[in-house]
Amino acid sequence: MTIKETTTEYLAKFKATIASGLIWVKQNKLKSFYYIILAAVLFQIIMVTSIYLGVWGKIPSTKALKQITNPETTTIYSGNNKVIGYFYTENRSNIDSSQINENIKNALIATEDVRFLEHSGIDYRSLGRVLFKTILMSKKSSGGGSTITQQLAKNVFGRKKRFFLLAPINKVREMIIAKRLEKVYSKDEILLLYLNTVSFGERLFGLEKASLRFFNKKPEKLDLDEAATLIGILKATSYYNPRNNPQNSLRRRNVVLSQMVKYGYLEEAEFDKIKDVPTKLNYTLPKVESTFAAFYKDYLRKEFETWAEDNPKDDGETWNLDEDGLTIYTTIHSSVQTSAEKAVDGHMKRLQESFATNWDAVGGKEKYIEKLIKNQSLAKQMDIDGIPFDSIQVIYNKKSEKKLWNGFEIVTGDFSLIDSIIFELTTLQTGLMVMHTQTGKIMGYVGGKDYGYSQYDQLSIPKQAGSLFKPITYLAGLESGLDPCDFFDNELRSYSDYEGWSPKNADGVYGGSYSLYGALANSVNTVSVQVIFKAGISRVVKLAERMGITAPLKAVPSLVLGTSEVKPIEMITAFAAIANKGKVVKPYSIQKILDHEGNVIYEAKVEYAETYIANPENIDKLQRMMTYTNTIGTGSRIQGYNIPYNLIGKTGTTQNNADGWYIASSPELVCGAWVGTMNPSINFKYTSLGSGSNTALPMVGRVFGDLSMWGTSMLTNFTFDTPDFDCNTYSELTAVEAFGKGRFDSTTMQLDTLIEAIDSVEIEEQ
């Protein structure tokens, strides 16, 4: 027999069985009815039993119910004890029974569960009404059958996603939990738990949050009108929101009040007095967390999670930042953070406007745009279809009304597809951090210019360091025996061992010679390369690692010019070590953590490196050398910010002006900033606009200029000593001539230069 024949035979037998069954039902109607009822009862017994046994989800035990805790909001404070934000899954804070006044209690019972004080978790009268009216008579307005206790069970333990039996399984599960809750808690305790867990919309959970949001007062101060309004919200949090839907809210409030009259909680005369009076809100806007220390909070979260992983609770559970109602005291200083954010906002707006008309690209703007179009998937498909590139360009340049983000705001206008792409690519990014050099406390942290637009933390993303890396190399040079007054020829050289590599100065000027400190101050590339050869590339790499840089560094001579990528936060940490006399500290953001009962569960300890990064005498020399950067060198623009103390610092600008850097430090405070785009192929057309002294320095200058406004309690030492070297920054003498005058370390010269210098000295002596 074939498969087809077998299948046909089975189908015929199945149909015959069904037909005979239907005939039996028709002939035995009474028995059929009894069997259906029996099957329904057995099904219910099996379903309830399976729910009770936890087949559809674990039912919490009485012991577990005694330990109910609600997710609570974690509050974070600045180092100067100001609230700067919150962490929460549900925006909730818990109240105690003294904060539930009679208005709230009576309104809730009258509206949600009139027999709450009488039943033991399940109101069978209400349940019967629902079964009869809603199910049998299809009256949707008959109300629900869930008691306050059942609603509490739903709020605390949630509802699982089921299949077609979703509603009955969840309802039965909540009934079982409600019965257990009534055995564990008193009626007042159940009311308290309910009011601490119920949602009022707007991501608000709990009566206190709702009371503060809509009326700016504590729950115990709510009057009758306000209490009824809040209880009215519970039926449909969006539809009855008193701010967004005042008319709906007013009608619902009056329903609550009429229920209170109906069940004897309110005199009708009192209801008549207020039923036509609109509710007066004192709405308090939620804190806009994306505008203050938003990137810092992300950094703090990562630090917290690292700590929590290694420090579990006593019961082995992991601390939860969003649910455990912690109090966290941070290292951030609200005034410093405000200054940092204002510095970024004000300067970056001006810089973005300049960049919009002065941007360029590697290989030229026109060629870059052409390449950009050709790389678009739509353009590629049109090219495959044989459409000429000129026609493709017309399509990409066709303008229509669009809304584009220019880096700070939405701009409406006529823009083409290529305009949209360029707008995105030419959006400047930035990062700025302020840290206490002696402890590692992060006092100001701005990881980008707009957290709402982009959550990429630029302080944690590696960038090419440019000349910012030179102080590390020069310190290695000092460690190898160089002196700040050693002179080097400023000459264009080609290094045959490195494929004829010939590093150039940014200003294109050569000739004469620079002292070591003069070369650092003026960021002279030709001299800096000589310094890394003298110090030894491996020595420089090891020193950078000791200073806190974890990124892999390329052991090549161009390292001194900052060709390796490093994280801004690590470069700022390295500069802090220089300011801190060679002692590296680990940056941190959490000062102290308290649990929801106020017990201290963590207190930070300053983490110092075991050893100094270099000889203290050489650190002192480098500090004095870096002071000249801010007086006569590339960072001299800082003088325009009227900062009444000496800073050490260094600018950094990468190839094609793609990245701009500036880090400066007092003995106790370091501040660093980076500016660039997400695509290093896009850059400023002119170095005068794209250099670190123009892009990054003004923000750092603003922060240090605001220091006097912060108060001096957090700092004791503002200034470095005035530098003093007994040699010039620059000399028209060649290095050979300088050597003859005892101002040159002969070990830095190439052999042929050294011989020439020695010969010159001998001739002079003769």
Side-chain angles (χ1 to χ4, degrees), residues 134-196:
T134 304
I135 297 176
L136 298 180
M137 298 181 66
S138 300
K139 289 187 177 181
K140 295 182 179 180
S141 60
S142 64
S146 292
T147 63
I148 288 175
T149 317
Q150 287 173 252
Q151 292 179 50
L152 171 62
K154 181 178 70 174
N155 294 343
V156 174
F157 299 103
R159 283 187 164 182
K160 308 297 182 183
K161 290 185 178 181
R162 310 289 182 199
F163 41 96
F164 66 97
L165 292 175
L166 167 68
I169 289 175
N170 279 323
K171 281 286 186 182
V172 172
R173 184 171 179 270
E174 287 159 12
M175 288 179 185
I176 296 171
I177 296 173
K179 294 288 286 185
R180 291 183 179 180
L181 282 168
E182 292 274 351
K183 293 178 181 178
V184 173
Y185 295 103
S186 68
K187 290 292 184 178
D188 283 343
E189 289 171 332
I190 289 172
L191 279 179
L192 181 63
L193 283 169
Y194 176 84
L195 288 170
N196 277 331

Side-chain angles (χ1 to χ4, degrees), residues 491-721:
E491 63 181 18
L492 192 60
R493 296 182 180 181
S494 179
Y495 294 88
S496 58
D497 289 346
Y498 294 92
E499 300 179 348
W501 178 57
S502 183
K504 299 177 178 61
N505 290 331
D507 59 9
V509 177
Y510 307 94
S513 59
Y514 280 92
S515 62
L516 189 69
Y517 81 88
L520 178 61
N522 292 282
S523 206
V524 184
N525 289 343
T526 55
V527 173
S528 299
V529 173
Q530 295 175 57
V531 173
I532 196 171
F533 278 122
K534 163 57 186 170
I537 298 172
S538 61
R539 184 198 295 268
V540 174
V541 171
K542 290 176 181 177
L543 176 60
E545 291 171 349
R546 289 201 302 275
M547 294 174 77
I549 294 175
T550 60
L553 301 174
K554 296 177 182 177
V556 293
S558 61
L559 177 64
V560 67
L561 306 182
T563 53
S564 288
E565 293 187 337
V566 293
K567 295 178 182 178
I569 190 172
E570 292 183 355
M571 284 304 298
I572 294 167
T573 301
F575 272 62
I578 296 171
N580 193 31
K581 300 178 181 178
K583 199 73 170 175
V584 178
V585 292
K586 182 180 179 181
Y588 69 97
S589 62
I590 299 175
Q591 188 68 41
K592 185 167 59 175
I593 304 175
L594 280 63
D595 65 17
H596 70 285
E597 294 179 346
N599 301 310
V600 177
I601 57 176
Y602 169 75
E603 194 153 13
K605 295 180 180 178
V606 179
E607 293 187 34
Y608 294 106
E610 294 182 2
T611 59
Y612 288 89
I613 59 174
N615 186 309
E617 291 183 6
N618 289 326
I619 294 291
D620 179 67
K621 290 177 183 178
L622 181 65
Q623 287 178 351
R624 289 188 287 151
M625 290 167 65
M626 292 175 69
T627 306
Y628 278 106
T629 300
N630 290 334
T631 54
I632 62 172
T634 57
S636 59
R637 183 175 176 178
I638 198 73
Q639 299 300 314
Y641 290 86
N642 300 315
I643 301 169
Y645 38 86
N646 291 329
L647 299 174
I648 64 173
K650 186 69 186 76
T651 57
T653 308
T654 60
Q655 191 173 16
N656 300 314
N657 311 312
D659 304 270
W661 296 79
Y662 181 68
I663 300 178
S665 183
S666 71
E668 293 183 33
L669 212 63
V670 61
C671 178
W674 166 87
V675 175
T677 64
M678 294 298 284
N679 185 341
S681 296
I682 304 290
N683 46 59
F684 270 102
K685 185 183 297 183
Y686 309 108
T687 301
S688 59
L689 297 175
S691 66
S693 61
N694 186 63
T695 60
L697 183 148
M699 293 184 287
V700 176
R702 162 72 185 267
V703 170
F704 274 110
D706 288 346
L707 178 60
S708 59
M709 296 190 299
W710 303 339
T712 59
S713 59
M714 62 181 176
L715 302 173
T716 58
N717 188 3
F718 290 89
T719 188
F720 286 101
D721 294 334

Side-chain angles (χ1 to χ4, degrees), residues 52-244:
Y52 186 85
L53 295 174
V55 172
W56 307 104
K58 186 178 180 181
I59 302 291
S61 65
T62 301
K63 181 179 179 181
L65 291 176
K66 289 179 180 179
Q67 299 174 341
I68 286 179
T69 56
N70 303 317
E72 296 182 52
T73 299
T74 289
T75 304
I76 55 176
Y77 288 84
S78 66
N80 52 330
N81 294 323
K82 293 186 177 181
V83 176
I84 61 172
Y86 306 92
F87 287 110
Y88 52 82
T89 301
E90 300 168 347
N91 191 4
R92 179 203 312 279
S93 60
N94 288 339
I95 57 176
D96 58 44
S97 56
S98 66
Q99 293 177 274
I100 303 177
N101 64 28
E102 290 299 308
N103 292 324
I104 282 287
K105 182 178 179 180
N106 295 339
L108 178 63
I109 292 174
T111 308
E112 296 293 327
D113 187 0
V114 69
R115 282 174 288 279
F116 172 72
L117 299 176
E118 303 167 13
H119 64 65
S120 58
I122 302 173
D123 186 348
Y124 293 103
R125 285 174 59 184
S126 292
L127 189 61
R129 183 194 70 236
V130 171
L131 289 172
F132 182 75
K133 290 186 176 181
T134 304
I135 297 176
L136 298 180
M137 298 181 66
S138 300
K139 289 187 177 181
K140 295 182 179 180
S141 60
S142 64
S146 292
T147 63
I148 288 175
T149 317
Q150 287 173 252
Q151 292 179 50
L152 171 62
K154 181 178 70 174
N155 294 343
V156 174
F157 299 103
R159 283 187 164 182
K160 308 297 182 183
K161 290 185 178 181
R162 310 289 182 199
F163 41 96
F164 66 97
L165 292 175
L166 167 68
I169 289 175
N170 279 323
K171 281 286 186 182
V172 172
R173 184 171 179 270
E174 287 159 12
M175 288 179 185
I176 296 171
I177 296 173
K179 294 288 286 185
R180 291 183 179 180
L181 282 168
E182 292 274 351
K183 293 178 181 178
V184 173
Y185 295 103
S186 68
K187 290 292 184 178
D188 283 343
E189 289 171 332
I190 289 172
L191 279 179
L192 181 63
L193 283 169
Y194 176 84
L195 288 170
N196 277 331
T197 59
V198 70
S199 170
F200 288 86
E202 297 194 11
R203 293 191 70 196
L204 301 171
F205 289 80
L207 178 64
E208 183 176 39
K209 288 291 183 182
S211 179
L212 291 171
R213 174 70 61 83
F214 292 108
F215 300 108
N216 196 24
K217 60 172 62 174
K218 290 286 188 178
E220 61 268 29
K221 302 295 183 181
L222 291 169
D223 62 26
L224 178 63
D225 168 37
E226 294 162 344
T229 298
L230 291 181
I231 296 303
I233 292 175
L234 300 178
K235 184 174 178 63
T237 56
S238 295
Y239 189 74
Y240 294 118
N241 183 296
R243 178 172 67 100
N244 298 327

Side-chain angles (χ1 to χ4, degrees), residues 437-467:
T437 64
Q438 297 175 6
T439 61
K441 293 180 181 178
I442 297 174
M443 306 183 74
Y445 193 100
V446 185
K449 64 183 182 183
D450 189 329
Y451 186 82
Y453 175 68
S454 172
Q455 289 78 53
Y456 287 110
D457 184 352
Q458 300 299 330
L459 290 169
S460 298
I461 299 175
K463 329 280 183 186
Q464 280 199 342
S467 297

Side-chain angles (χ1 to χ4, degrees), residues 237-522:
T237 56
S238 295
Y239 189 74
Y240 294 118
N241 183 296
R243 178 172 67 100
N244 298 327
N245 297 299
Q247 293 303 317
N248 296 345
S249 175
L250 179 63
R251 287 196 300 272
R252 180 60 186 169
R253 180 206 67 180
N254 286 345
V255 169
V256 173
L257 293 173
S258 65
Q259 286 291 101
M260 294 177 71
V261 172
K262 180 179 179 180
Y263 294 109
Y265 292 109
L266 181 67
E267 295 294 331
E268 190 161 356
E270 191 173 357
F271 171 52
D272 290 337
K273 284 182 184 179
I274 64 173
K275 67 179 180 180
D276 296 322
V277 180
T279 301
K280 291 183 179 179
L281 297 182
N282 185 4
Y283 189 83
T284 304
L285 287 170
K287 293 183 181 293
V288 184
E289 294 181 67
S290 63
T291 60
F292 188 78
F295 289 96
Y296 176 76
K297 291 166 190 170
D298 278 356
Y299 181 87
L300 183 147
R301 177 183 288 278
K302 291 174 185 175
E303 185 174 308
F304 175 88
E305 289 173 351
T306 299
W307 169 82
E309 191 174 328
D310 297 329
N311 297 272
K313 300 178 185 178
D314 292 339
D315 61 3
E317 294 293 318
T318 302
W319 290 101
N320 191 308
L321 187 62
D322 297 312
E323 298 182 355
D324 286 338
L326 306 172
T327 299
I328 298 181
Y329 290 92
T330 72
T331 60
I332 208 82
H333 192 286
S334 61
S335 296
V336 178
Q337 181 68 21
T338 299
S339 174
E341 293 190 2
K342 285 182 177 179
V344 168
D345 187 58
H347 177 65
M348 290 303 295
K349 280 182 179 178
R350 293 188 293 271
L351 201 62
Q352 185 68 56
E353 290 174 2
S354 173
F355 192 56
T357 55
N358 292 284
W359 71 275
D360 203 351
V362 175
K365 185 186 295 188
E366 298 303 323
K367 288 185 177 180
Y368 185 81
I369 292 175
E370 181 179 321
K371 184 179 178 182
L372 202 60
I373 294 175
K374 288 180 177 178
N375 283 335
Q376 299 298 307
S377 56
L378 176 60
K380 287 180 179 179
Q381 184 58 52
M382 286 190 287
D383 180 58
I384 293 172
D385 294 339
I387 299 174
F389 182 68
D390 289 346
S391 300
I392 295 174
Q393 280 185 308
V394 170
I395 294 171
Y396 270 85
N397 285 302
K398 185 178 179 180
K399 295 184 182 294
S400 61
E401 186 173 323
K402 289 184 176 68
K403 292 182 178 181
L404 300 180
W405 177 258
N406 72 349
F408 285 95
E409 60 185 356
I410 299 294
V411 179
T412 302
D414 288 336
F415 300 108
S416 66
L417 283 173
I418 200 64
D419 289 335
S420 304
I421 298 169
I422 290 173
F423 256 73
E424 180 73 23
L425 291 173
T426 57
T427 297
L428 289 172
Q429 308 293 334
T430 191
L432 181 148
M433 189 175 92
V434 185
M435 187 176 90
H436 194 264
T437 64
Q438 297 175 6
T439 61
K441 293 180 181 178
I442 297 174
M443 306 183 74
Y445 193 100
V446 185
K449 64 183 182 183
D450 189 329
Y451 186 82
Y453 175 68
S454 172
Q455 289 78 53
Y456 287 110
D457 184 352
Q458 300 299 330
L459 290 169
S460 298
I461 299 175
K463 329 280 183 186
Q464 280 199 342
S467 297
L468 200 69
F469 202 85
K470 286 175 181 172
I472 299 174
T473 304
Y474 278 62
L475 179 57
L478 293 171
E479 287 284 281
S480 70
L482 291 180
D483 184 82
C485 283
D486 287 339
F487 276 77
F488 296 79
D489 280 339
N490 173 31
E491 63 181 18
L492 192 60
R493 296 182 180 181
S494 179
Y495 294 88
S496 58
D497 289 346
Y498 294 92
E499 300 179 348
W501 178 57
S502 183
K504 299 177 178 61
N505 290 331
D507 59 9
V509 177
Y510 307 94
S513 59
Y514 280 92
S515 62
L516 189 69
Y517 81 88
L520 178 61
N522 292 282

